[in-house]
Amino acid sequence: MGMSVGSDSTHEDEGIVDINTTPLIDVMLVLLIMLIITIPLQTHSVAIDLPQGNPPPSTEQPKLVTVSIGYDNSISWNNEPITSEASLQAHFQAAAAMPDQPEMHIHPDRLADYKTVAHVMADAQRLGMTKLGIVGLDQFMEGQ
């Protein structure tokens, strides 16, 4: 039986200069497995039946209702002043009951209270109006 006890002192103090590649190989194997698992998921396609061609433009103009809110929080329906809350709600109910509901354009003045505008919009939505829009927002832009 032979055994080396380390008689040569010059070889003992030298460090190991090899890079430990085991963690690198482990990480690369995990990434490779993840790639192999996820590639089949990306190749599946979903069949969607898309319409062909352009639909003809609508010949009917939509019905329009303009609700204006003035600087003094006065409300008008198609340039007709609304004097009471009940009258405004009756207009909303009549418009919502139409078979072809009109578009409602809310035109608030720059100095109108937010509370009044929010109240009109909430009433319209609560009473069944679904086509709401705020127009005239160019007056709120800087420098106007």
Side-chain angles (χ1 to χ4, degrees), residues 36 71 86 114:
I36 290 171
Y71 66 91
Y114 174 77

Side-chain angles (χ1 to χ4, degrees), residues 64-129:
L64 218 52
V65 171
T66 303
V67 176
S68 299
I69 302 171
Y71 66 91
D72 57 350
N73 296 323
S74 61
I75 302 170
S76 63
W77 182 279
N78 287 338
N79 296 327
E80 175 187 320
I82 301 293
T83 56
S84 68
E85 180 74 21
S87 174
L88 180 64
Q89 290 182 2
H91 279 20
F92 285 146
Q93 287 174 343
M98 291 181 180
D100 185 24
Q101 193 177 94
E103 292 181 8
M104 187 173 94
H105 291 184
I106 300 173
H107 191 295
D109 189 82
R110 184 178 190 155
L111 301 175
D113 289 342
Y114 174 77
K115 180 175 128 180
T116 305
V117 177
H119 180 70
V120 167
M121 291 176 63
D123 277 352
Q125 184 180 18
R126 182 176 49 82
L127 294 171
M129 296 293 293

Side-chain angles (χ1 to χ4, degrees), residues 18-86:
D18 292 336
I19 295 176
N20 186 3
T21 58
T22 303
L24 178 66
I25 292 171
D26 290 345
V27 168
M28 294 303 291
L29 285 173
V30 168
L31 290 175
L32 181 65
I33 291 171
M34 289 174 56
L35 184 69
I36 290 171
I37 291 172
T38 58
I39 284 180
L41 296 176
Q42 295 174 357
T43 57
H44 292 295
S45 62
V46 177
I48 298 175
D49 295 327
L50 296 175
Q52 301 296 324
N54 294 329
S58 176
T59 57
E60 285 186 31
Q61 293 295 328
K63 295 177 185 174
L64 218 52
V65 171
T66 303
V67 176
S68 299
I69 302 171
Y71 66 91
D72 57 350
N73 296 323
S74 61
I75 302 170
S76 63
W77 182 279
N78 287 338
N79 296 327
E80 175 187 320
I82 301 293
T83 56
S84 68
E85 180 74 21

Side-chain angles (χ1 to χ4, degrees), residues 130-143:
T130 57
K131 300 176 182 178
L132 300 174
I134 298 178
V135 297
L137 295 178
D138 54 338
Q139 64 180 329
F140 296 102
M141 294 173 50
E142 292 295 324

